């Protein structure tokens, strides 16, 4: 990826693959937390591990999950947060946070989808020779797709953890593992 067109293709691919999986898991976590079935959250954790082949990306997801859990526990304490353990995946925390805030599975899915493309877009604006307005235009064009994906992900909210979507992005997994060994790391994943 070296230009705005390549960035936009990357963001679409990310949303349709790993972003969609994260959205389905956030929606499922929200649904389980809303009906006080926090015991079912551990199955989501295990299944998300299975869908994340890269050890580096699993670690990043858990680091982001811990950070989000810390923030939410501070600004909006809720008993469900205590059920998440010490190293929960970010999409699971996002789903539980959405439920704690009175939001639904689609809201949780949409939040994690936006996060899944906004982070890489912000990094691209800083690291690439690309006009930041082109980056924002690509994000604006993605909104309809993200809305559709959030609805599709929310349709899976009540499914058993083992039946949640599993769309992969093997090149991203490989890149994350290579990036882990760099002497100078510009970002976590």
């Amino acid at each position: 990826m070296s230009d705005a067109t390549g960035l936009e293709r990357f963001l679409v691919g990310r949303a349709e693959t790993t972003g969609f999986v994260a959205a389905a898991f956030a929606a499922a976590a929200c649904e389980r937390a809303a009906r006080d079935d926090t015991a079912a959250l551990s199955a989501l954790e295990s299944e998300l591990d299975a869908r994340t082949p890269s050890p580096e990306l699993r670690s990043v997801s858990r680091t982001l999950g811990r950070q989000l859990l810390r923030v939410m526990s501070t600004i909006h304490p809720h008993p469900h947060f205590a059920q998440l353990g010490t190293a929960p995946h970010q999409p699971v925390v996002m789903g539980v946070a959405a439920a704690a805030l009175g939001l639904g599975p689609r809201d949780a899915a949409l939040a994690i989808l936006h996060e899944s493309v906004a982070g890489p877009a912000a990094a691209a604006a800083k690291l690439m020779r690309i006009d930041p307005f082109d980056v924002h235009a690509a994000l604006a064009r993605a909104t309809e797709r993200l809305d559709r994906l959030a609805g599709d992900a929310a349709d899976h909210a009540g499914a058993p953890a083992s039946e949640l979507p599993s769309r992969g992005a093997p090149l991203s997994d490989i890149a994350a593992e290579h990036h882990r060994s760099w002497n100078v790391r510009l970002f976590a994943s």
Side-chain angles (χ1 to χ4, degrees):
M1 149 178 60
S2 60
D3 59 12
T5 302
L7 172 64
E8 191 160 358
R9 282 195 313 265
F10 171 80
L11 296 176
V12 166
R14 182 168 171 96
E16 292 280 352
T17 57
T18 57
F20 181 72
V21 171
F25 275 81
C30 182
E31 187 272 338
R32 284 150 176 81
R35 60 180 165 86
D36 288 324
D37 188 6
T38 52
L41 297 174
S42 64
L44 294 176
E45 292 285 339
S46 298
E47 289 293 333
L48 193 49
D49 270 346
R51 286 163 178 77
T52 312
S54 163
E56 181 65 9
L57 293 180
R58 281 194 306 271
S59 175
V60 168
S61 177
R62 290 185 179 280
T63 297
L64 294 173
R66 277 192 308 274
Q67 292 170 352
L68 180 57
L69 178 60
R70 182 174 178 220
V71 167
M72 288 305 301
S73 296
T74 301
I75 64 171
H76 193 85
H78 195 279
H80 291 333
F81 295 134
Q83 304 298 318
L84 291 175
T86 58
H89 279 288
Q90 181 190 27
V92 175
V93 179
M94 184 71 78
V96 173
L101 293 168
L103 302 173
R106 187 184 180 290
D107 301 311
L110 190 58
I112 205 81
L113 277 163
H114 276 278
E115 190 277 336
S116 76
V117 296
K126 293 174 187 170
L127 299 174
M128 295 173 59
R129 292 179 185 246
I130 187 169
D131 186 336
F133 288 102
D134 290 338
V135 173
H136 290 286
L139 289 172
R141 284 189 294 274
T143 56
E144 194 172 305
R145 178 183 304 271
L146 298 180
D147 286 343
R148 178 185 51 78
L149 288 170
D152 293 347
D155 289 344
H156 295 281
S162 62
E163 294 178 18
L164 290 173
S166 181
R167 298 178 181 177
L171 293 178
S172 290
D173 294 322
I174 292 167
E177 291 305 307
H178 286 294
H179 185 248
R180 176 172 59 167
S181 66
W182 290 6
N183 289 332
V184 175
R185 294 181 59 179
L186 302 173
F187 42 87
S189 60

